[in-house]
Amino acid sequence: MTPSSLLLYTLLTQKPRKTRQKMAQESSINRASRRTRILNNHLIQSPSDPTSCLRSNSCLSYTPPEVTERLGFDTKEMRKILDLHNLEDRDWLYGVIKQGKVFNGKERGGRLFVLPDYNQTMEQQREMTMKRIEYLFERGVFDGWLMKNGVEAELKKLAFLDVIQNFDQSLAVMLGVHFFLWGGAIQFMGTKRHHDKWLRDTETFGLKGCFSMTELGHGSNVRGIETVTTYDLKTGEFVINTPCESAQKYWIGGAANHATHTIVFSQLNINGVNQGVHAFIAQIRDADGNICPNIRIAECGHKIGLNGVDNGRIWFDNLRIPRENLLNSVADVSPDGQYLSAIKDPDQRFAAFLAPLTSGRVTIATSAVFSSKVGLATAIRYSLSRRAFSVTPNGPEVLLLDYPSHQRRLLPLLAKSYAMTFGGNYLKMIYVNRTPGSAKTLHVVSSAFKAIFTWHNMRTLQECREACGGQGLKTENKIGHLKGEFDVQSTFEGDNNVLMQQVSKALLSEYAAAKKKNKPFKGLGLEHMNGPVPVIPSNLTSSTLRSSQFQMNAFCLRERDLLDRFAAEMSLYLSKGESKEQAFILSYQIAEDLGRAFSDRAILQIFIDAETNVSSGSLKNVLGLLRSMYALICLEEDAAFLRYGYLSTDNAAAVRKEVTKLCGELRPHALALVRSLGIPDAFLGPIAFNWIDANSWSSVKH
């Protein structure tokens, strides 16, 4: 008797003592029988199958998705809608980068790819960043970035920055620090005397600027920085000091190795009175790169990303600068030491002082969307040629993107990236057309979109990394490395959670003003608050769920109710004797929910407006699918819709089911949708194309 037969005989003849024991024994028999059957199928030749039980499979081959996938709409027209402006300028700069040896072009699978060499040391990466800046400067890329004014010049600059960050975020950050932060501070916080002296040299790299705002002890709380500047009446100079270690300037891009000048943010103390934070121009290195007297500079060290940026720390030891180096668009100090400002209220003066610095949030928001698009284009193209498992005996393996679960992972994120592209375009337009009257809108929208877009980017990159399996770990395939490069975006230029609370605080101010004056809401898209409360149908059909009117009603209901709840909670805390500041701190959960509600509603409205401007046809139909996917995935993912009762559990289930249907309907358009993103092949990862040839032995020898 074999061991298995003996076991079976023992189990069958043993007298059971308990029902539970008997059930467990029977379960054990079933498992043993099932395993035996499976093993037999593998090892014993089936009578109905005369061929050898061990077949040799044919080798896999790469089939470009273009061979099997149909393009259901005009991808060039879609790209025009997405990129919106300066398409020819973008394509020219893409070509410049592909042709330059400093951009490290490598052939993989018969294609050229450009990406930084991350095998280099931190020091080598920094030097390559500067060589790339020089290469682009020699080809006129930066002409007019500071010396030309107007909407057209600003849009061209933003388009070029979009292209550059698709190659390397370190390069984009260094240019952002030099032109947008250092140069932007002189442009918008300074006056003619500063423009005449500094702007041309900045544009031509006669100097290299950086931006010293953040300190070891203060980041988001700019008003709390500890650097102190006093005025010496005898010499007519300002004297800048770092009074303690927590006041050292920290994370200053460009400071460790290359910058010659910096904008110093400091408390200004005049005649023993602290006038608040002001900005000053200070030289930190001479033309030969030597650190100036009364300044100490140290390295910040290796980072999880952006190692092509030389972040440094700065201490000031009685550094003397001319009185004229105060950026004085808001306030000034006269030669005899009198503090002068047309804005008497310190809070209003501080707000006016920082208002011009929104460019950083604008560029961060748009770069985050481009990063997510690079990840998605690579992961989706890979999933359109990579196969795994067969669902029938001896059948072909299934394309990754033909699995509903894979569609669920990537296609909602693609729809969100489309929606945020439209949101980013809107943000750029209000930025380049900014006026004093639009300052509040620009601040609120840039804060909201910076937070939402950068969070979305990190989530998207992680999902794309996992969707590519082990190939997502390779640096040359870009996705995994982009996570490290873009992680910092969640905290620099404002911590995302703090920014969302600022958004909610601004909305509460609008709410309080409208209620106090008994006037309609106007601005920030809050006009929907003037109408009746939207009603969500008790039974949500597919056609209802895809209706833009229903989607907007659901988003407005959430924003409206959360704003009411936020105001009520604040009032409750105030009635209990809490200060306004403490009440706001205690209401942080509703504040963050409200910030997201505002952002989602604003993005949906922008998407609907973009869709409305497209003529009927296949392009409009696909945009409708994407818009519905964006709206419904937001409904599904935000617990507020269930937490506060905007959706019933049955309706939430209907939303979930509809998202799955939309995934299936978007699947045939996947290739066309990523081709429409306008990112050249050379700027994606090699696995987006012939991943077999890219990993072949010949590529190793090459």
Side-chain angles (χ1 to χ4, degrees):
M1 182 178 290
T2 65
S4 59
S5 300
L6 180 62
L7 171 64
L8 182 60
Y9 174 80
T10 303
L11 292 172
L12 291 174
T13 57
Q14 183 180 22
K15 186 175 181 178
R17 298 170 62 184
K18 294 182 180 179
T19 304
R20 188 169 59 189
Q21 272 187 318
K22 180 178 180 182
M23 293 175 63
Q25 290 165 353
E26 290 175 350
S27 176
S28 177
I29 295 169
N30 291 337
R31 284 198 301 271
S33 175
R34 185 169 64 253
R35 288 170 181 165
T36 302
R37 211 166 43 244
I38 293 171
L39 189 60
N40 283 343
N41 288 339
H42 280 292
L43 299 180
I44 301 175
Q45 182 176 319
S46 170
S48 61
D49 184 4
T51 61
S52 170
C53 61
L54 298 177
R55 294 190 182 88
S56 60
N57 292 324
S58 59
C59 290
L60 294 174
S61 61
Y62 170 77
T63 301
E66 285 80 0
V67 173
T68 56
E69 301 290 319
R70 183 178 65 88
L71 302 182
F73 59 87
D74 189 332
T75 58
K76 291 182 179 179
E77 287 302 310
M78 183 69 91
R79 188 210 168 182
K80 289 179 183 177
I81 298 171
L82 293 174
D83 279 348
L84 188 64
H85 62 91
N86 299 89
L87 271 69
E88 291 183 3
D89 291 322
R90 293 172 192 264
D91 290 341
W92 172 79
L93 184 52
Y94 278 128
V96 167
I97 292 174
K98 285 193 289 186
Q99 294 164 13
K101 291 184 179 180
V102 293
F103 295 99
N104 196 42
K106 300 289 184 183
E107 185 178 309
R108 293 286 187 274
R111 289 176 177 268
L112 175 72
F113 295 92
V114 289
L115 73 163
D117 183 358
Y118 297 113
N119 291 315
Q120 293 178 327
T121 65
M122 181 175 71
E123 291 75 16
Q124 289 172 327
Q125 288 184 51
R126 292 174 175 182
E127 289 308 311
M128 282 306 301
T129 297
M130 300 311 294
K131 287 181 180 179
R132 288 167 182 145
I133 289 175
E134 182 180 1
Y135 178 91
L136 296 174
F137 171 72
E138 289 172 351
R139 282 148 186 81
V141 172
F142 310 125
D143 290 353
W145 276 36
L146 290 172
M147 298 305 294
K148 289 183 181 178
N149 297 314
V151 171
E152 186 176 331
E154 291 214 62
L155 285 175
K156 183 177 180 180
K157 177 169 60 175
L158 292 171
F160 278 172
L161 196 65
D162 287 342
V163 171
I164 291 166
Q165 60 205 10
N166 276 341
F167 168 72
D168 178 35
Q169 185 65 2
S170 285
L171 178 57
V173 167
M174 285 295 284
L175 292 172
V177 169
H178 180 74
F179 283 106
F180 287 85
L181 295 181
W182 156 270
I186 292 172
Q187 207 170 28
F188 302 121
M189 301 170 72
T191 52
K192 188 176 186 301
R193 72 189 188 203
H194 305 106
H195 302 163
D196 293 344
K197 184 174 182 179
W198 303 101
L199 287 183
R200 185 171 297 280
D201 280 349
T202 299
E203 187 173 294
T204 59
F205 286 91
L207 59 84
K208 299 180 182 72
C210 64
F211 191 78
S212 298
M213 176 182 281
T214 299
E215 296 179 354
L216 178 61
H218 290 88
S220 296
N221 181 18
V222 176
R223 298 186 82 158
I225 62 176
E226 297 172 288
T227 302
V228 176
T229 298
T230 56
Y231 181 66
D232 187 337
L233 187 61
K234 295 179 181 178
T235 63
E237 295 173 312
F238 288 110
V239 184
I240 305 175
N241 270 291
T242 303
C244 50
E245 287 297 346
S246 59
Q248 63 180 275
K249 295 299 180 181
Y250 214 97
W251 293 124
I252 311 306
N257 300 120
H258 300 112
T260 59
H261 292 73
T262 190
I263 303 292
V264 183
F265 286 81
S266 169
Q267 304 289 348
L268 175 59
N269 193 307
I270 300 293
N271 299 321
V273 178
N274 181 16
Q275 299 292 350
V277 176
H278 291 67
F280 305 84
I281 297 172
Q283 185 168 355
I284 59 175
R285 285 187 178 86
D286 62 24
D288 297 322
N290 301 306
I291 297 174
C292 294
N294 303 97
I295 289 176
R296 290 172 286 151
I297 296 178
E299 171 68 58
C300 279
H302 195 274
K303 309 180 291 288
I304 64 172
L306 297 179
N307 283 299
V309 178
D310 57 314
N311 293 97
R313 301 180 282 157
I314 308 175
W315 292 258
F316 303 99
D317 304 316
N318 290 313
L319 177 68
R320 289 180 172 270
I321 61 172
R323 183 184 65 86
E324 292 77 13
N325 282 21
L326 168 66
L327 295 177
N328 63 340
S329 65
V330 173
D332 204 351
V333 174
S334 66
D336 62 352
Q338 298 301 308
Y339 184 76
L340 309 170
S341 178
I343 305 174
K344 302 305 178 185
D345 181 83
D347 292 337
Q348 293 179 6
R349 192 163 62 232
F350 181 73
F353 181 66
L354 294 185
L357 301 181
T358 52
S359 64
R361 290 194 293 272
V362 173
T363 56
I364 290 168
T366 55
S367 70
V369 180
F370 270 99
S371 170
S372 67
K373 290 193 286 191
V374 170
L376 285 163
T378 300
I380 288 175
R381 290 193 69 103
Y382 182 61
S383 71
L384 287 169
S385 63
R386 179 68 154 84
R387 296 174 179 272
F389 304 106
S390 57
V391 295
T392 58
N394 303 322
E397 291 185 283
V398 179
L399 283 173
L400 294 181
L401 201 61
D402 283 339
Y403 285 102
S405 59
H406 212 76
Q407 296 169 15
R408 242 321 180 126
R409 297 173 70 179
L410 297 178
L411 297 184
L413 294 173
L414 181 61
K416 279 192 168 185
S417 294
Y418 263 71
M420 291 176 191
T421 298
F422 295 131
N425 288 339
Y426 171 81
L427 178 57
K428 279 197 261 187
M429 287 305 167
I430 61 174
Y431 172 71
V432 299
N433 292 288
R434 61 194 177 278
T435 64
S438 66
K440 180 188 294 185
T441 298
L442 180 56
H443 169 71
V444 174
V445 175
S446 64
S447 298
F449 286 8
K450 185 266 182 183
I452 292 294
F453 293 5
T454 55
W455 276 329
H456 164 75
N457 180 38
M458 292 309 297
R459 179 190 169 192
T460 298
L461 291 174
Q462 180 63 30
E463 196 64 66
C464 290
R465 209 296 296 156
E466 294 180 26
C468 291
Q471 290 297 322
L473 291 176
K474 292 189 69 175
T475 304
E476 72 172 11
N477 290 326
K478 300 191 77 167
I479 299 171
H481 188 79
L482 286 176
K483 287 171 54 187
E485 295 286 280
F486 280 85
D487 197 325
V488 69
Q489 288 193 338
S490 299
T491 51
F492 76 13
E493 294 291 327
D495 176 277
N496 282 356
N497 291 285
V498 174
L499 290 178
M500 293 303 272
Q501 291 177 26
Q502 287 185 13
V503 170
S504 296
K505 189 177 288 187
L507 296 175
L508 184 62
S509 295
E510 293 294 309
Y511 182 93
K515 296 295 184 182
K516 183 177 181 180
K517 297 176 182 177
N518 196 26
K519 289 186 177 181
F521 287 87
K522 184 178 181 181
L524 298 179
L526 294 177
E527 289 81 1
H528 68 87
M529 298 280 291
N530 300 320
V533 178
V535 177
I536 303 299
S538 57
N539 181 33
L540 294 179
T541 64
S542 179
S543 60
T544 301
L545 287 167
R546 298 191 186 199
S547 159
S548 61
Q549 186 60 60
F550 158 75
Q551 294 160 7
M552 185 54 68
N553 282 346
F555 280 35
C556 288
L557 174 62
R558 173 182 53 160
E559 183 181 21
R560 179 187 195 124
D561 181 66
L562 287 172
L563 187 47
D564 285 336
R565 289 174 183 269
F566 185 38
E569 188 163 302
M570 286 285 293
S571 296
L572 179 62
Y573 283 124
L574 291 172
S575 69
K576 293 180 178 180
E578 300 287 358
S579 67
K580 187 176 181 181
E581 292 74 16
Q582 184 65 14
F584 185 76
I585 290 172
L586 294 172
S587 303
Y588 75 96
Q589 288 182 312
I590 289 186
E592 291 180 4
D593 286 345
L594 175 58
R596 179 169 291 278
F598 167 83
S599 306
D600 291 347
R601 189 266 308 153
I603 294 168
L604 179 59
Q605 184 60 65
I606 294 165
F607 200 145
I608 291 171
D609 292 343
E611 182 186 350
T612 301
N613 292 329
V614 176
S615 302
S616 297
S618 56
L619 199 62
K620 192 180 187 74
N621 293 338
V622 171
L623 285 173
L625 294 177
L626 290 166
R627 185 250 308 148
S628 288
M629 176 67 89
Y630 169 73
L632 297 186
I633 200 66
C634 287
L635 288 175
E636 181 182 81
E637 291 178 346
D638 188 358
F641 283 100
L642 279 173
R643 181 185 300 126
Y644 300 111
Y646 313 138
L647 290 179
S648 66
T649 54
D650 287 344
N651 280 345
V655 169
R656 185 176 180 83
K657 183 177 179 181
E658 199 65 26
V659 168
T660 301
K661 288 174 61 178
L662 283 165
C663 284
E665 292 176 40
L666 283 170
R667 162 62 185 89
H669 301 291
L671 178 62
L673 288 170
V674 295
R675 283 183 57 164
S676 300
L677 299 178
I679 303 169
D681 297 352
F683 289 75
L684 301 178
I687 56 164
F689 302 97
N690 193 334
W691 43 272
I692 296 178
D693 281 359
N695 288 281
S696 67
W697 178 248
S698 62
S699 72
V700 175
K701 292 189 293 183
H702 178 74

